[in-house]
Structure formats: C-alpha cells, structure tokens
C-alpha cells in the first residue's frame, strides 16, 4: 500500500466516522437493560461508542403511558387489546442527539406495564464494527425494554417527550404488539441500518404502515413540504457548526431531490407531525390522543432558514483578491497562504473521492463539491513548498493551478444544469474566487519583473 493510499484511507476513516450524526434516532439508554445484552449500546446520532449509560442519572419523573391514557379510554380488562403509542423525543444538545428519536410503546392494560420498542441499538465492540460502518453495512437491532427505563435519560437531559396514542382496531393493536415482540427476538432483531432510508424512525413508520395495510404510505407519499434530505439534516445540525459543515460537504446531489412527507419522516419530529394528519382504517384520526410526558428544559428544535449565497461570495471575492494582490508582490508570501488552503481542500477532496469510490454511502456519491475541494490540490503542495523556499515550482505547477481553477469554473456550469443540481451555490461562491485568485497570483509572480 502506498503512502498516499494510507493517507487517504486514514482521513477517510476519520471523516466517515463524523458522518454518524446522520445515524440518528435512538439516544443513550442503559446498556444493562434486562432485555438487552450487556454489550448492547443505544444509537446516539453520533460517533460510534459515544453512547452514555443512564447509570447514576435520576429516575424519570415522566408520566407513564398508563397515567397519560385519556380519561375517555375504555376500562382495562384481561382480554382487552394493548394500547399502541409512538413516543417522540426532542433533539438534544449533544451532537449525537441533534436529530431526536422515537420509539413504539405497547401498554398492557391488564398488567399496567408498558414496553418501549427501541430500534436504535448497536454494538461497537463487534470486531468488524468500523469496517461495516465504512462500507455502509451497519448492524442495528430492535430492543424491548421497560418504558420508564427508556425515558430516564431524556428526562435527565431536559428534553421534551411527546406520546401519541394510535386509534387502532383490537386486531391491529394485537397484531402490531405481537409483530414487535417477535421482531425483538435475538434471531430477528438485527437489521442493516441506512441513514435516510432505513433508520430507527423509518422502522417505526414502516411498522405502523404494515399494520394499516399500507394506508399510511398512501396518505402521505403524495404530499410534500418541499424539503430535501439535505435541508432537514442541515436544519437540525445548525446548532453545531462543525457538524453542519461535515454534513453539507459530504452529501451529494442525491440528497437534494425534493422528497415527499413519506421520505422526510426519517426525522422523528416529521413522522410525528405526519401521523397527526393521517386517518385510520375507519376514517378517524389515527392519533386519538396526544400528551406531553416531559416538558422541554432546553432550546427548541431549530426552524428552517434560508442559506444566502452572497455573504459567501463577498468572503470569496475578498480572499481571492487578496491572494492575487499578494502574488504580484511576493511569491513566498503567496505560497505561505496557499499551502494550508491546498492541504485542507485536497484532503477533503480525497475523502469525498474515497467516499464515492470506496464505500457504500450512496448519498456521498457523485459529489460535485469535488470540483471545489479538489484532490488535485494535493499535487500542488510540492510546487508550493518549492515556491515558499524561493525556488522554481516546476513546469507542471502552472498547468495544475489552471486545472484546479477550470474545475471550479465547471462546478458553476454543473450547478446550472436543469437536472436536480446539488445545492452548493454557497461553496461555489466562496471557492471559485479563491481558486481564481491563487491562479492569478502565481501567474503574476511568474512574470519577469
């Protein structure tokens, strides 16, 4: 393996681990739950192995599902069907909890006990955990645990928890409860996790849809709020600037297609909102009652906000003009400014290329940011170091700077294509003037004086 290959693989691993914020849904839950092996770890919407145990946290003071049952509920009886609910947790303040979480709740009236079915468990101690993550072949599992135990961490973190009781027929409620019980058995619990297409919230959605005979999908697939997978991910990650940067740069054009309500329900809060608008098989509202179990004691979920490109353009033009001006006066100073920029852009570009060609993360594929975060910048480092030392950067140096500039210009034309463009106008506005300024500066420094 060459030095460059090892370098690219190392940084690819680091960046791919950073994309785990997309692996949202479940939050830190006690790893020693009675229904869970000691090695099980709750999914944390963040880096592998960062989940926390609830040991030492105060017991939940939230109302149990029994206490949250509406007064009009039928009296319990030993032969009565269980109540089925969806519990949705507000996004937290730690980066791994920025997307929120949800779970299915089965409340047995006869025993007055509630079980939380949590699709967000994984085991970071598996010997091939990192390799599976890089390949986009993560193994997650469904775990059944007592409801109060599942809620304790959210109460400790001050996050709002809302319970929606579903108006299902007795046959549907019994069928869903039994399906969840069977699904949680060790031989059935594992599934291949996909960030946008088969995550913890999607598992909750699909379980309800199967119970309704496909009615949930039929009612929400034809509607859209105009959101995209990218817009939702960036909205929720905005409080963490580094997380926002990683997600925005890594996601390719596939994440910019407008999605229906069905697809945007990979976000637990969006799924809860969709359920509130759906009818059940008898034409009644699917959500018969909704109750806040725990009030929020932290900042609310971020709202959608536009991303103007012009501040990025002003910054890019100012930086590009400064670089061109420096190049007309000192090649060494220009090289000193260019080297860290080229190193950063080249490393990010190498990671994007590796994510496309070397992993199964399909939402990274064909990323047009490759034209801006150009791997060719790594090849400019040699000539840049020579220029910093006052030497001739070499015959290919000028052509490489021109190739990097032309790639950035191409990104603008690609953005204008009528087929779903990648929403990276702000990155184009920032880096195109910078690449132009670097090319112009080194070209001016090469002119005889």
């Amino acid at each position: 393996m060459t030095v460059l290959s090892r370098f690219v693989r190392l940084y690819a691993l680091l960046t791919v681990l950073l994309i785990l914020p997309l692996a949202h849904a479940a939050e830190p839950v006690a790893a020693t739950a009675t229904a869970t092996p000691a090695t099980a770890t709750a999914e944390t919407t963040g880096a592998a192995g960062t989940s926390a145990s609830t040991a030492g946290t105060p017991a939940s003071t939230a109302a149990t599902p029994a206490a949250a049952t509406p007064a009009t509920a039928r009296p319990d009886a030993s032969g009565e069907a269980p109540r089925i609910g969806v519990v949705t947790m507000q996004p937290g303040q730690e980066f791994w909890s920025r997307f929120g979480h949800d779970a299915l709740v089965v409340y047995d009236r006869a025993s007055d006990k509630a079980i939380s079915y949590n699709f967000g468990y994984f085991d970071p101690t598996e010997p091939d955990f990192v390799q599976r993550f890089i390949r986009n072949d993560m193994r997650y599992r469904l775990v059944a645990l007592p409801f109060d135990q599942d809620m304790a961490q959210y109460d400790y973190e001050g996050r709002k928890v809302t319970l929606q009781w579903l108006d299902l027929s007795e046959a549907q409620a019994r069928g869903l409860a039994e399906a969840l019980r069977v699904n949680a058995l060790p031989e059935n619990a594992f599934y291949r996790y996909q960030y946008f297409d088969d995550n913890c919230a999607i598992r909750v959605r699909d379980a309800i849809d199967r119970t309704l005979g496909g009615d949930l999908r039929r009612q929400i697939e034809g509607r859209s709020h105009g959101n995209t997978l990218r817009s939702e991910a960036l909205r929720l990650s905005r409080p963490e600037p580094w997380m926002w940067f990683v997600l925005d740069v890594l996601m390719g054009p596939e994440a910019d297609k407008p999605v229906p309500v069905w697809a945007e329900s990979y976000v637990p809060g969006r799924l809860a909102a969709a359920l509130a608008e759906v009818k059940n098989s008898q034409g009644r509202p699917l959500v018969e009652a909704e109750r806040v179990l725990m009030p929020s004691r932290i900042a609310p979920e971020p709202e959608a906000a536009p991303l103007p490109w012009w501040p990025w353009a002003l910054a890019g033009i100012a930086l590009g003009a400064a670089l061109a001006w420096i190049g007309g006066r000192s090649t060494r100073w220009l090289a000193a400014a260019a080297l860290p920029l080229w190193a950063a852009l080249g490393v990010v570009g190498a990671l994007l290329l590796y994510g496309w060609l070397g992993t199964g993360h399909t939402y990274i594929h064909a990323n047009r940011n490759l034209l801006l975060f150009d791997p060719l910048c790594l090849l400019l480092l040699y000539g840049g170091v020579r220029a910093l030392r006052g030497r001739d950067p070499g015959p290919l140096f000028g052509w490489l700077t021109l190739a990097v500039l032309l790639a950035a210009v191409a990104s603008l034309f690609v953005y204008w294509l009528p087929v779903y463009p990648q929403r990276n106008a702000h990155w184009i506005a920032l880096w195109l003037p910078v690449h132009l300024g670097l090319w112009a500066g080194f070209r001016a420094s090469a002119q005889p004086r």
Side-chain angles (χ1 to χ4, degrees):
M1 184 181 294
T2 65
V3 173
L4 179 60
S5 176
R6 290 177 179 174
F7 176 78
V8 171
R9 285 178 178 270
L10 172 61
Y11 277 91
L13 174 59
L14 293 176
T15 295
V16 172
L17 287 176
L18 288 177
I19 201 177
L20 262 173
L22 288 176
H24 59 80
E27 302 302 329
V29 190
T32 56
T34 56
T36 316
T39 56
T41 303
E43 176 199 354
T44 58
T45 318
T50 56
S51 61
S53 170
T54 55
T57 57
S60 172
T61 59
T64 63
T69 305
T72 56
R74 292 172 295 176
D76 292 340
S78 58
E80 210 165 9
R83 288 182 68 82
I84 307 295
V86 176
V87 61
T88 304
M89 300 73 157
Q90 171 193 7
Q93 293 181 308
E94 301 294 340
F95 76 91
W96 60 76
S97 62
R98 285 296 178 188
F99 286 76
H101 180 47
D102 58 7
L104 282 163
V105 180
V106 176
Y107 170 59
D108 181 51
R109 307 168 195 266
S111 64
D112 194 28
K113 293 181 179 179
I115 298 296
S116 178
Y117 285 91
N118 189 326
F119 286 93
Y121 275 74
F122 64 89
D123 184 3
T125 66
E126 290 181 341
D128 59 347
F129 177 81
V130 173
Q131 295 91 324
R132 280 182 172 274
F133 177 73
I134 293 176
R135 296 197 308 265
N136 194 25
D137 189 25
M138 291 281 286
R139 277 163 44 95
Y140 277 63
R141 64 177 300 182
L142 168 64
V143 169
L145 66 163
F147 179 79
D148 285 343
Q149 180 179 321
D150 198 12
M151 296 298 105
Q153 183 71 18
Y154 308 108
D155 185 32
Y156 177 71
E157 294 174 358
R159 294 163 61 181
K160 179 180 178 181
V161 176
T162 304
L163 174 66
Q164 295 172 301
W165 286 118
L166 304 183
D167 185 4
L168 303 175
S169 69
E170 290 195 358
Q172 288 173 331
R174 286 195 178 95
L176 179 51
E178 176 62 14
L180 290 170
R181 185 193 68 80
V182 173
N183 195 171
L185 295 175
E187 61 269 26
N188 303 323
F190 290 94
Y191 67 98
R192 182 172 180 258
Y193 187 93
Q194 299 288 291
Y195 303 112
F196 295 127
D197 302 323
D198 195 5
N199 65 13
C200 307
I202 295 297
R203 286 272 157 166
V204 171
R205 181 201 69 184
D206 290 352
I208 297 172
D209 185 56
R210 285 192 297 270
T211 299
L212 297 177
D215 279 348
L216 175 59
R217 181 168 191 166
R218 282 191 287 270
Q219 293 182 56
I220 67 176
E221 191 170 36
R223 296 188 286 115
S224 175
H225 298 128
N227 295 322
T228 65
L229 302 179
R230 182 192 301 273
S231 68
E232 286 297 277
L234 297 186
R235 172 179 70 87
L236 292 167
S237 64
R238 194 165 64 242
E240 300 283 353
W242 69 267
M243 181 179 174
W244 184 96
F245 169 81
V246 169
L247 294 179
D248 191 38
V249 171
L250 285 180
M251 287 186 288
E254 193 67 22
D256 287 302
K257 296 179 180 179
V259 294
V261 175
W262 172 261
E264 76 175 14
S265 60
Y266 84 91
V267 177
R270 295 296 189 188
L271 176 59
L275 293 176
E277 300 175 351
V278 170
K279 304 293 184 182
N280 65 9
S281 302
Q282 290 74 41
R284 299 188 301 270
L286 177 62
V287 177
E288 65 176 350
E290 184 167 341
R291 179 80 174 268
V292 175
L293 300 184
M294 305 179 197
S296 174
R297 304 193 303 273
I298 60 175
E301 180 175 320
E303 297 292 336
L307 180 64
W309 59 268
W310 61 266
W312 302 70
L314 291 178
I317 292 171
L319 184 55
L323 291 169
W325 180 83
I326 293 172
R329 284 153 181 79
S330 171
T331 304
R332 288 187 173 185
W333 280 106
L334 179 59
L339 284 171
L341 285 176
W342 284 334
L345 292 172
V347 167
V348 173
L351 296 173
L352 292 176
L353 190 61
Y354 180 81
W356 179 8
L357 303 178
T359 77
H361 295 276
T362 56
Y363 288 98
I364 300 179
H365 292 183
N367 196 320
R368 292 162 192 173
N369 284 329
L370 273 166
L371 297 172
L372 300 164
F373 299 84
D374 198 329
L376 289 177
C377 290
L378 295 175
L379 301 180
L380 290 169
L381 296 179
Y382 176 76
V385 170
R386 289 182 62 88
L388 183 63
R389 294 177 176 178
R391 299 176 183 176
D392 181 4
L396 295 179
F397 184 78
W399 290 105
L400 281 174
T401 56
L402 179 59
V404 170
L405 170 61
L406 292 178
V409 173
S411 71
L412 184 61
F413 286 96
V414 172
Y415 182 82
W416 283 334
L417 290 177
V419 180
Y420 291 118
Q422 181 170 327
R423 300 301 177 183
N424 64 341
H426 51 295
W427 293 118
I428 297 173
L430 174 64
W431 292 119
L432 177 55
V434 171
H435 288 305
L436 177 60
L438 287 169
W439 172 80
F442 278 105
R443 188 170 184 271
S445 67
Q447 300 297 324
R449 295 174 182 152

Coordinates of all heavy atoms in Angstrom, one line a residue, residues 29 50 94 176 255 399:
V29 N -29.2 4.9 26.2 CA -30.1 4.1 27.0 C -29.2 3.2 27.8 O -28.1 2.8 27.4 CB -31.1 3.3 26.2 CG1 -32.2 2.7 27.1 CG2 -31.7 4.2 25.2
T50 N -20.0 6.4 21.5 CA -20.1 7.6 22.4 C -21.4 7.6 23.2 O -21.7 8.5 23.9 CB -20.2 8.9 21.5 OG1 -21.2 8.8 20.6 CG2 -18.9 9.1 20.8
E94 N -26.4 17.6 22.7 CA -25.2 16.9 22.2 C -25.3 16.6 20.7 O -26.4 16.3 20.2 CB -24.9 15.6 23.0 CG -24.8 15.8 24.5 CD -23.6 16.7 24.9 OE1 -22.6 16.7 24.0 OE2 -23.5 17.2 26.0
L176 N -49.8 -5.7 15.9 CA -48.6 -4.9 15.9 C -47.8 -5.3 17.2 O -46.5 -5.4 17.1 CB -48.9 -3.4 15.9 CG -47.7 -2.5 16.0 CD1 -46.7 -2.8 15.0 CD2 -48.2 -1.0 15.9
A255 N -29.0 13.9 -2.3 CA -29.7 14.4 -1.0 C -30.5 15.7 -1.3 O -31.1 16.3 -0.4 CB -28.6 14.7 0.0
W399 N 0.2 24.6 -14.9 CA -0.9 23.9 -15.5 C -1.8 23.3 -14.4 O -3.1 23.2 -14.6 CB -0.4 22.8 -16.4 CG 0.3 23.3 -17.7 CD1 1.6 23.4 -17.9 CD2 -0.4 23.8 -18.8 NE1 1.9 23.9 -19.2 CE2 0.6 24.2 -19.7 CE3 -1.7 24.1 -19.1 CZ2 0.4 24.8 -21.0 CZ3 -2.0 24.6 -20.4 CH2 -1.0 25.0 -21.3

